[in-house]
Amino acid sequence: MRLTARLMKVFITRRIPPEGQALLDQAGISEIKRWDSDEPIPKEDLVKGAAGAHGILCLLTDKIDRKLLDAAGKNLKVISTLSVGVDHLDLDEIKKRGIRVGYTPDVLTDATAELAVSLLLTTSRRLPESIEEVKNGGWTSWKPLWMCGYQLSNSTVGIIGLGRIGQAIARRLKPFGVQKFIYTGRQPKPSEASEFQAEFVSVEQLAAQSDFIVVSCALTPETKKLCNKDFFQKMKKTAVFVNISRGDVVNQEDLYKALSNGEIAAAGLDVTSPEPLPTNHPLLSLKNCVILPHIGSATYATRNTMAVIAVKNLLAGLKGEPMPSELKL
């Protein structure tokens, strides 16, 4: 089907980066409705905006469920999400209705891997604590064990999920002198693991053997609350835990207890449940827990590229053409 001005109605659930917006504005679509804010759209406005739309461009904070799909009606041909994650989409219902889905998988790999390494180093070397000591006068004289943390050289790094991002993280950590990489997932990945001489192990073995653990798996029914009380109890007391995947992979109550009881050394999180994390959440009271506001892909270059791909996915779906990045349902 040709994309014609008289036919197409598109709903954009948030402001998007300028390069993507420019591409959308040039497409000749008859009606483009936008939620003109950087803040999440309320559910009632999301449902109302979707009514009668041929295409929806959404973010990972927008729940695309049966209620919204019913409101959109039979016109809806394509949903394009400006994210690699798709757990905000009711994929079973979307597939049942024959709606195509576009996403942005490969473009944020490098930015997210860089952030994971930054978060690991920030947490393990206690940088926020050290900065605060400089500001509050806690820095007095040199002391042998003051502000000591844990180093990567000669360590064992465990990666949960050796996908694109997991591999990119290992690639960046290798030059730090990591002695051994281990990983776990649904199945071994010998060809991907060979670059790092990484060994496939069980979840339990990874927890017990690792000095540093990085979670980079997708959120699935199998990985939900994977990192829980049993997992943390198997970890070394000197181990550092980092999560850059999804907040629900971790049981945060169990993590809080493990950190406050000294069962593990420290944790760094770029993702939480919920997001944003309430400012009175117990994890925020801990000095050995560093929490970031889900900024894994937050570079100007990455976000602009994500927006362009999301818009191209949307336009291709409207025209019935192959998308640059289509999720196969």
Side-chain angles (χ1 to χ4, degrees):
M1 178 186 292
R2 287 182 59 219
L3 180 64
T4 60
R6 68 181 183 83
L7 279 179
M8 296 301 171
K9 175 181 176 182
V10 165
F11 178 48
I12 313 298
T13 68
R14 200 81 54 85
R15 289 176 187 161
I16 61 174
E19 292 181 20
Q21 187 61 62
L23 184 63
L24 184 63
D25 291 340
Q26 296 163 11
I29 295 171
S30 59
E31 183 180 351
I32 300 177
K33 292 179 68 176
R34 298 181 180 88
W35 178 251
D36 193 22
S37 172
D38 291 327
E39 298 303 318
I41 181 171
K43 181 66 176 182
E44 58 271 22
D45 292 304
L46 180 63
V47 172
K48 185 189 299 184
H54 295 86
I56 296 173
L57 196 158
C58 65
L59 275 67
L60 53 81
T61 49
D62 303 318
K63 190 72 174 174
I64 309 298
D65 55 15
R66 180 181 296 181
K67 182 179 179 181
L68 182 139
L69 296 171
D70 286 342
K74 294 182 179 180
N75 281 345
L76 188 59
K77 300 176 179 297
V78 57
I79 297 167
S80 178
T81 181
L82 203 152
S83 66
V84 61
V86 293
D87 43 282
H88 57 301
L89 307 179
D90 186 338
L91 296 179
D92 290 338
E93 195 66 30
I94 289 168
K95 181 179 180 180
K96 190 188 304 180
R97 299 173 190 235
I99 299 167
R100 297 171 67 189
V101 174
Y103 70 136
T104 60
D106 298 322
V107 65
L108 50 69
T109 298
D110 288 336
T112 305
E114 288 177 7
L115 190 279
V117 173
S118 301
L119 181 56
L120 189 154
L121 292 170
T122 296
T123 304
S124 65
R125 296 303 301 271
R126 303 171 65 181
L127 299 191
E129 285 183 78
S130 298
I131 292 168
E132 185 58 31
E133 289 297 288
V134 172
K135 292 180 177 179
N136 67 21
W139 180 19
T140 55
S141 63
W142 188 90
K143 309 177 190 73
L145 295 179
W146 188 62
M147 285 294 123
C148 284
Y150 300 93
Q151 63 190 55
L152 279 160
S153 59
N154 300 313
S155 69
T156 295
V157 172
I159 298 176
I160 300 178
L162 197 67
R164 287 183 295 267
I165 294 174
Q167 293 167 52
I169 292 168
R171 198 168 291 123
R172 286 159 173 77
L173 290 178
K174 192 175 179 180
F176 282 89
V178 172
Q179 186 175 64
K180 184 179 182 181
F181 286 99
I182 57 179
Y183 72 102
T184 194
R186 281 180 292 186
Q187 58 190 16
K189 295 186 172 183
S191 58
E192 291 88 343
S194 61
E195 179 182 348
F196 321 105
Q197 294 81 51
E199 178 187 350
F200 182 76
V201 298
S202 68
V203 173
E204 293 76 16
Q205 289 173 311
L206 184 138
Q209 296 176 22
S210 300
D211 298 301
F212 299 90
I213 293 174
V214 182
V215 184
S216 58
C217 60
L219 177 62
T220 66
E222 293 74 30
T223 61
K224 188 171 184 177
K225 301 294 188 286
L226 175 69
C227 301
N228 53 26
K229 179 180 178 180
D230 290 341
F231 182 91
F232 297 126
Q233 285 180 342
K234 289 181 174 66
M235 286 176 60
K236 299 177 181 180
K237 291 184 181 296
T238 55
V240 175
F241 176 85
V242 170
N243 183 20
I244 53 93
S245 61
R246 285 290 183 268
D248 280 335
V249 174
V250 177
N251 184 315
Q252 290 179 170
E253 183 177 338
D254 291 348
L255 175 61
Y256 171 78
K257 290 177 181 176
L259 289 166
S260 56
N261 295 337
E263 292 176 15
I264 66 175
L269 311 174
D270 185 43
V271 288
T272 60
S273 182
E275 292 183 357
L277 197 66
T279 55
N280 63 349
H281 194 281
L283 282 172
L284 293 171
S285 69
L286 300 175
K287 288 185 177 181
N288 59 343
C289 187
V290 178
I291 300 179
L292 304 179
H294 201 155
I295 56 170
S297 64
T299 69
Y300 291 111
T302 297
R303 292 285 172 83
N304 265 307
T305 304
M306 288 173 69
V308 168
I309 292 173
V311 170
K312 287 182 176 179
N313 284 337
L314 178 74
L315 299 178
L318 290 172
K319 291 187 280 188
E321 297 175 353
M323 294 182 188
S325 295
E326 182 167 1
L327 184 69
K328 301 303 180 183
L329 301 178

